[in-house]
Amino acid sequence: MRGLDAGPGTEPPRAPGALKAAITAVAVIAALGLLVSACASGGTGARDEGPARSDSVSVGAVTPAPSQSSAEPSVDAVQLLKADPEVSAAVKRDLQPCVADEYPVDVSYGRLTGGAVDDIVVNVLTCGDAVGVGSYVYRGQGGEYENVFKAEEPPVYAEIDRGDLVVTQQVYEKGDPVEFPSGEEVITYSWISGHFMEQDRNHSDYSKVTESVPPSPAED
């Protein structure tokens, strides 16, 4: 029997392996063409717009903080007291550090007199029991501080309360021990016409029950 002959002009079918090899060769040639084109145009192959931007600050760079203006003065309260002729010699004599260089003074800042900077309220205390021996208010003007209030009748303590100066004083009657005052007075001052004027005064009497009750006898 005769085998079937292919007609004239008809190519025999290709083997599957030969077809895969041809496709791979075409892909390689296309890739090489793209690579050569990218190199010729000076691109990176990944992106042509330049390096990626970064919003973070580089290491070691210092970003200046925005300037903050503060009305709070920076004053050495102890030196202010020592240089003030309005402060009594007794208070200055007792103005000594309690531990190392820690002085018994409380300092607070606030608007009391309507000035351009905060006023300074200074309370001088005793080291042992923190009893107030002097309270002062300093008003800043032209880089200097003027004493516009003082109270040196212990025990006394001054505070700033909603723009007013509030001074608390313990009241002693004759024969009262130091630990048992008869009462206290709370006086409120407001800055009016260039000086502090008393606006309110509250007096409280303390109970004498605590000090009058004798100690209970010791059990046998």
Side-chain angles (χ1 to χ4, degrees):
M1 221 180 135
R2 292 182 60 187
L4 297 177
D5 292 332
T10 302
E11 296 182 0
R14 296 183 179 181
L19 180 60
K20 289 183 180 180
I23 294 172
T24 301
V26 171
V28 171
I29 292 172
L32 289 174
L34 290 176
L35 180 60
V36 171
S37 174
C39 292
S41 61
T44 61
R47 59 185 295 141
D48 256 346
E49 303 89 35
R53 294 180 57 190
S54 173
D55 293 331
S56 62
V57 179
S58 60
V59 177
V62 178
T63 303
S67 59
Q68 297 179 350
S69 58
S70 174
E72 182 176 307
S74 177
V75 177
D76 188 334
V78 174
Q79 294 302 320
L80 193 63
L81 293 169
K82 289 182 176 181
D84 185 1
E86 295 293 327
V87 178
S88 68
V91 172
K92 289 182 179 179
R93 183 173 56 250
D94 294 336
L95 190 58
Q96 302 294 332
C98 298
V99 178
D101 58 351
E102 297 294 329
Y103 284 83
V105 295
D106 284 349
V107 184
S108 57
Y109 303 92
R111 295 300 179 92
L112 289 171
T113 67
V117 297
D118 283 352
D119 302 297
I120 307 173
V121 178
V122 184
N123 289 286
V124 181
L125 314 172
T126 59
C127 286
D129 45 12
V131 172
V133 296
S135 298
Y136 311 89
V137 178
Y138 292 93
R139 185 172 191 257
Q141 280 188 325
E144 297 182 353
Y145 289 89
E146 175 190 5
N147 186 328
V148 292
F149 179 89
K150 75 171 181 177
E152 294 181 330
E153 296 179 9
V156 62
Y157 197 88
E159 300 174 279
I160 301 172
D161 184 12
R162 291 170 291 184
D164 289 330
L165 177 66
V166 179
V167 178
T168 302
Q169 289 184 307
Q170 305 296 321
V171 178
Y172 288 88
E173 295 180 357
K174 187 176 180 179
D176 284 346
V178 175
E179 64 271 20
F180 291 112
S182 294
E184 73 172 16
E185 286 191 343
V186 179
I187 311 167
T188 302
Y189 297 90
S190 295
W191 183 261
I192 300 174
S193 300
H195 62 281
F196 283 107
M197 294 183 63
E198 181 178 326
Q199 298 297 305
D200 189 44
R201 181 183 292 257
N202 293 316
H203 179 87
S204 300
D205 290 322
Y206 294 155
S207 173
K208 299 292 184 179
V209 174
T210 304
E211 60 174 308
S212 61
V213 174
S216 58
E219 296 182 0
D220 295 336

